[in-house]
Amino acid sequence: MVWKLACLVVLCVYLAGCAPVRPVTLATPDAIERLRGIRWCGALWLPRTTPAGAPLGGISGLAWDADTATVYAVSDRGRVHHWRPRFAAGRLVGVELRASFPLHDRAGRPLQGDSADAEGVALEASSEGRRLWISFEREHRIAPYDTQGRLLGAPRVPEPVRDAGYNTGMEALAGAGRQRLVGLERGPAGDGATTPIWSEPGGRVHAYPLAAEANSALTALAPAGPGRYLALERAYSPLRPIVITLKSIRWRASEGISVTPLARLSGGEGWHLDNFEGLAALGAGRYLMVSDDNFSTLQRTLLACFRTEAGAGGT
């Protein structure tokens, strides 16, 4: 009887994930009322495939294109998706899944296996067009792509990532013009207290202090104004609730960084969270964050919206 109930739960979760985009509640009213540092503005549960049938899952990085109102989302199975979010009365109410493209190698072949594990993305827009800088782990590198997944130049391996673990690479990547801020999920030393963060290309490395929760990891960065960024951390340990931490960063390449805690969401305090790994700044203090479902029937791809309070990470 127990195994039948378990199978029924898995089936219900799977079928729910195949449904169209729909709003979802991620916290109790009391949890939202207690929230400090940010204001919640809704969440969506995304399906497991796009309308065209492309796989939709494993989303680990987001970047916002204000000129085209497009979110670029990269998957750890080597795809870039184009989304257009919809808002009503300041709340996230829908998202149009507009297109999806495989990422390609130098020979024009779709990436496969370990080489396809895209984790972070940053947009560089100029008069020459749009370029997506995408960071990969397992086969650690950063490479430039066009918005349809075509490789535009030679990949590079920054010095700080050369000692990174197999699955603890450049999860966090944010762009500000031609400059990018990059962070490792966890430090190569594995002490759990800090992780390297640096600017690209050729920037000085600084130590970013991770949250105190066990297995905290830096999973995303987003620009928040001149010299400022927002950081997303996820802490997960078996049999413990997921904890999502948001922090404000002041970045001074030559002097170092200062980090200020902004908000903490805990699965043990009324939040129904998942594996949040991507973050995009939409401007005016509004952000989207996304969860990586690991292509598991027991997890969800969630797109959530929040706003920072004035002076605490917003522009």
Side-chain angles (χ1 to χ4, degrees):
M1 184 64 181
V2 174
W3 70 267
K4 289 183 179 179
L5 180 59
C7 289
L8 180 60
V9 171
V10 170
L11 179 61
C12 289
V13 172
Y14 177 80
L15 292 176
C18 294
V21 174
R22 66 192 189 282
V24 62
T25 300
L26 295 187
T28 64
D30 286 347
I32 293 177
E33 181 67 25
R34 292 193 304 267
L35 191 58
R36 297 292 181 269
I38 63 173
R39 288 172 289 161
W40 198 248
C41 46
L44 303 172
W45 188 348
L46 305 192
R48 298 188 183 278
T49 59
T50 69
L56 180 59
I59 306 299
S60 296
L62 300 177
W64 171 245
D65 186 341
D67 292 335
T68 63
T70 299
V71 172
Y72 300 110
V74 295
S75 163
D76 54 22
R77 289 196 182 171
R79 299 194 74 88
V80 57
H81 303 277
H82 296 198
W83 299 343
R84 176 166 287 177
R86 291 189 293 109
F87 295 87
R91 293 188 64 80
L92 178 67
V93 296
V95 62
E96 179 187 354
L97 308 177
R98 304 183 67 200
S100 179
F101 304 94
L103 300 175
H104 295 85
D105 63 16
R106 296 183 186 183
R109 299 167 299 198
L111 298 177
Q112 301 287 337
D114 285 353
S115 70
D117 192 358
E119 295 291 340
V121 58
L123 173 69
E124 180 186 332
S126 68
S127 58
E128 301 174 357
R130 284 164 171 73
R131 175 174 294 199
L132 299 177
W133 288 93
I134 299 177
S135 61
F136 297 81
E137 66 177 6
R138 301 181 195 268
E139 292 186 10
H140 304 301
R141 65 199 188 280
I142 293 178
Y145 284 82
D146 70 11
T147 59
Q148 296 186 5
R150 292 179 287 250
L151 187 63
L152 296 178
R156 61 185 306 272
V157 182
E159 183 67 31
V161 82
R162 294 179 184 176
D163 294 326
Y166 173 71
N167 196 31
T168 57
M170 294 176 287
E171 290 263 358
L173 176 63
R178 295 183 179 274
Q179 200 73 18
R180 292 168 297 282
L181 193 65
V182 191
L184 293 188
E185 181 178 0
R186 294 189 182 92
D191 62 7
T194 65
T195 193
I197 190 170
W198 68 96
S199 58
E200 278 283 314
R204 183 178 171 185
V205 179
H206 297 287
Y208 171 89
L210 293 165
E213 278 79 16
N215 291 327
S216 283
L218 178 63
T219 60
L221 291 164
R228 300 168 67 190
Y229 293 85
L230 203 67
L232 167 65
E233 294 182 42
R234 174 216 59 227
Y236 172 74
S237 298
L239 305 180
R240 294 185 181 183
I242 293 177
V243 177
I244 299 299
T245 303
L246 296 165
K247 296 178 181 177
S248 177
I249 299 175
R250 286 194 176 274
W251 175 262
R252 302 174 182 85
S254 59
E255 302 172 23
I257 60 173
S258 59
V259 179
T260 304
L262 188 60
R264 180 179 180 275
L265 314 179
S266 172
E269 298 173 0
W271 287 89
H272 313 300
L273 303 169
D274 215 303
N275 179 32
F276 282 100
E277 290 196 355
L279 190 64
L282 274 59
R286 185 166 62 183
Y287 294 83
L288 294 176
M289 65 178 180
V290 71
S291 66
D292 176 355
D293 69 351
N294 292 303
F295 291 94
S296 167
T297 56
L298 297 178
Q299 293 181 261
R300 300 172 293 174
T301 299
L302 301 170
L303 185 66
C305 172
F306 64 89
R307 288 181 179 272
T308 55
E309 296 178 351
T315 56

